Amino acid sequence: MQGTPVNLRYLKLVDMKHGLFLKITACLIFSATTVFGQKQVTEGFNFTEKQLPVMLSEINAARANYNNPKLLLPRTLTKSGGLSIVPVSDWCSGFFPGELWYLFEYTKDPNWLSQAKKFTAYLEPEKFNKGTHDLGFEIYCSFGNGYRLTHDTAYKSIIIQSARSLSSRFDPKVGAIKSWGKMGQGKYTVIIDNMMNLELLFEATRLSGDSSFYKIAIVHANTTLKNHFRPDYSSYHVVNYDQATGGVIEKVTAQGYNNESAWARGQAWGLYGYTMCYRETKDNKYLVQAGHIADFILHNPGLPKDLIPYWDYNVPDKINQSRDVSAAAITASALLELGTYSKKNGKEYNSAAIKILDNLKSYRAKVGETHGFLLLHSTGNAPIKVEIDAPLIYADYYYLEALTRLKRLNAHRPVVQQ
């Protein structure tokens, strides 16, 4: 789908005005909480500086044990407690390079720059992968952060090519990017997680001037807004469509407690996704939706007092259920951005984000342990008993992203640097 060029001069002017708005808003919101927020940032990154060298050493040891050159990047722990490493085609492959970029951004240490470049380079072949909707996670978390911090033109071309590959999974009749399976085969499945991959498309339009990426992202966001949410603004995990007609066949779950429950990480994906869509479009319906999702999360009777959710908000017998720290980290990062946009509830959202980050200290690994992971007690896929009460690399990534955003707010700068 060929698009028309975007007026980049106009976009820059809009961004400049938006940046000024964010700077003023951040100053108003954080004038009373700067010292407290900065403490979380400093402690979190000091801890990270001690843990990531452990992770680097453990990755090398795991590679030697597996003796498989395709296994390159960390994801979680094995059943026996070892470090689980995955190939670049795994949806989690971009998170560790992203962590390295965030640590470099904080420390300005050239060693972390070198490591970030090294691990990011592994993912370049994925730019041609049309078999996954997860290129946003893979490429934007790695090359996207790399380009943001270095403006390396090679990274720019990789981002644009990745957006082309992702766009190949879009069907205009359905109005969405297919999440699972080959195009033209099986159910046309769209999951709430896919909102996170739209950021890659928005960035590709900004870098290339080709609006087709932007248009696909908007159509997908609107289709998801229409079909994924219940009246209380909780989200289904999975919606299956009839590719021939574009109609909805069923609304179900894969990782939630049941088809009508609110899977915790899914709610976080939706919150983050629509906050990001508002940033990129300034369309107020996305801001309203993000606010509704935030309110569903923060005022949910199933949310523990420390704001670290169980893996599903509706799961019974919570005493015997695992938390999902990854959902909390994603939520904190999203709330920090949403708080700069919301005139009515901005202070509440940012205060909640800081509370989450403060409470996540109780979920951190001990220094030098757990193969270098930062956070414990996440839940990958409870229904099939995979990655239960485990460290997960994406929990660590969004934790560092949230700390980076908090640091920027404390400095009265836009929460998201573009």
Side-chain angles (χ1 to χ4, degrees):
M1 179 165 102
Q2 182 60 40
T4 56
V6 170
N7 187 329
L8 296 180
R9 181 173 178 271
Y10 173 75
L11 288 179
K12 288 179 181 177
L13 289 172
V14 172
D15 286 346
M16 288 173 63
K17 293 176 182 178
H18 181 51
L20 179 59
F21 168 75
L22 281 179
K23 187 173 183 179
I24 294 170
T25 305
C27 181
L28 291 173
I29 292 174
F30 274 81
S31 59
T33 58
T34 299
V35 175
F36 177 74
Q38 186 57 43
K39 178 182 178 182
Q40 316 314 309
V41 174
T42 302
E43 289 183 351
F45 274 105
N46 286 346
F47 169 68
T48 302
E49 280 192 89
K50 297 173 183 176
Q51 283 296 89
L52 289 199
V54 176
M55 177 67 80
L56 290 172
S57 176
E58 293 289 339
I59 291 171
N60 290 332
R63 286 180 187 167
N65 290 336
Y66 282 112
N67 194 28
N68 183 343
K70 292 184 178 181
L71 300 180
L72 296 166
L73 296 142
R75 173 169 171 158
T76 185
L77 300 182
T78 65
K79 291 182 179 180
S80 62
L83 180 64
S84 174
I85 53 177
V86 295
V88 295
S89 59
D90 188 272
W91 79 274
C92 294
S93 60
F95 294 118
F96 183 65
E99 285 188 67
L100 295 168
W101 284 114
Y102 281 128
L103 187 54
F104 164 67
E105 182 176 4
Y106 180 80
T107 65
K108 305 298 187 293
D109 186 334
N111 173 61
W112 294 118
L113 174 62
S114 176
Q115 293 292 343
K117 288 181 175 180
K118 173 185 173 182
F119 280 87
T120 295
Y122 291 149
L123 281 92
E124 182 173 357
E126 284 296 282
K127 67 185 179 183
F128 295 118
N129 188 351
K130 297 180 180 180
T132 180
H133 74 110
D134 286 318
L135 286 178
F137 287 125
E138 295 177 21
I139 298 298
Y140 198 73
C141 294
S142 56
F143 287 100
N145 277 310
Y147 183 75
R148 178 175 63 84
L149 294 172
T150 68
H151 295 288
D152 186 326
T153 55
Y155 290 0
K156 176 180 176 179
S157 65
I158 291 167
I159 291 168
I160 295 170
Q161 176 55 52
S162 299
R164 292 193 189 104
S165 296
L166 179 59
S167 297
S168 72
R169 298 185 62 80
F170 176 78
D171 186 293
K173 184 165 288 187
V174 176
I177 298 165
K178 188 175 185 180
S179 297
W180 296 335
K182 294 182 179 180
M183 295 297 287
Q185 297 181 17
K187 295 179 179 179
Y188 200 97
T189 297
V190 179
I191 62 176
I192 190 63
D193 319 39
N194 213 348
M195 286 297 300
M196 302 294 287
N197 294 296
L198 303 185
E199 194 166 13
L200 173 69
L201 299 179
F202 286 123
E203 178 71 359
T205 286
R206 190 160 36 246
L207 297 179
S208 68
D210 183 347
S211 64
S212 66
F213 307 123
Y214 182 100
K215 291 174 181 177
I216 289 173
I218 293 301
V219 174
H220 181 99
N222 290 342
T223 300
T224 302
L225 183 62
K226 177 183 178 181
N227 296 321
H228 256 83
F229 291 89
R230 305 181 183 96
D232 65 356
Y233 301 102
S234 65
S235 169
Y236 290 95
H237 181 199
V238 179
V239 176
N240 286 314
Y241 293 87
D242 183 331
Q243 189 166 0
T245 66
V248 173
I249 298 174
E250 59 182 352
K251 300 181 181 184
V252 293
T253 192
Q255 291 172 253
Y257 175 66
N258 62 38
N259 290 339
E260 295 301 325
S261 69
W263 172 50
R265 193 161 62 252
Q267 312 317 302
W269 291 143
L271 172 63
Y272 191 112
Y274 283 102
T275 301
M276 175 269 297
C277 283
Y278 176 73
R279 178 216 311 155
E280 297 292 344
T281 68
K282 309 305 181 288
D283 189 328
N284 194 62
K285 70 173 177 285
Y286 300 141
L287 178 61
V288 171
Q289 183 70 10
H292 285 316
I293 300 169
D295 294 342
F296 172 83
I297 291 172
L298 295 177
H299 299 236
N300 196 293
L303 182 66
K305 291 183 179 180
D306 67 358
L307 308 188
I308 313 300
Y310 293 93
W311 64 274
D312 191 297
Y313 287 98
N314 300 108
V315 69
D317 188 25
K318 289 183 170 58
I319 293 176
N320 297 313
Q321 300 295 329
S322 59
R323 301 289 186 101
D324 187 4
V325 162
S326 74
I330 298 159
T331 297
S333 185
L335 287 173
L336 285 169
E337 181 174 11
L338 181 59
T340 64
Y341 305 146
S342 175
K343 295 179 181 179
K344 179 181 178 181
N345 298 315
K347 186 174 181 180
E348 176 192 357
Y349 296 155
N350 282 289
S351 295
I354 293 174
K355 182 177 179 180
I356 291 170
L357 291 173
D358 192 46
N359 289 335
L360 283 176
K361 291 188 296 185
S362 300
Y363 295 80
R364 288 198 312 220
K366 293 181 179 179
V367 173
E369 296 184 4
T370 324
H371 302 283
F373 282 101
L374 306 180
L375 300 176
L376 309 178
H377 309 300
S378 289
T379 302
N381 192 330
I384 63 171
K385 296 179 174 55
V386 171
E387 299 171 338
I388 306 298
D389 194 27
L392 292 169
I393 197 68
Y394 46 92
D396 293 357
Y397 172 85
Y398 287 105
Y399 174 61
L400 294 189
E401 181 180 84
L403 291 177
T404 300
R405 290 180 169 190
L406 182 54
K407 181 176 185 292
R408 294 180 66 81
L409 284 175
N410 286 334
H412 311 312
R413 298 164 63 194
V415 65
V416 179
Q417 177 189 354
Q418 294 178 323

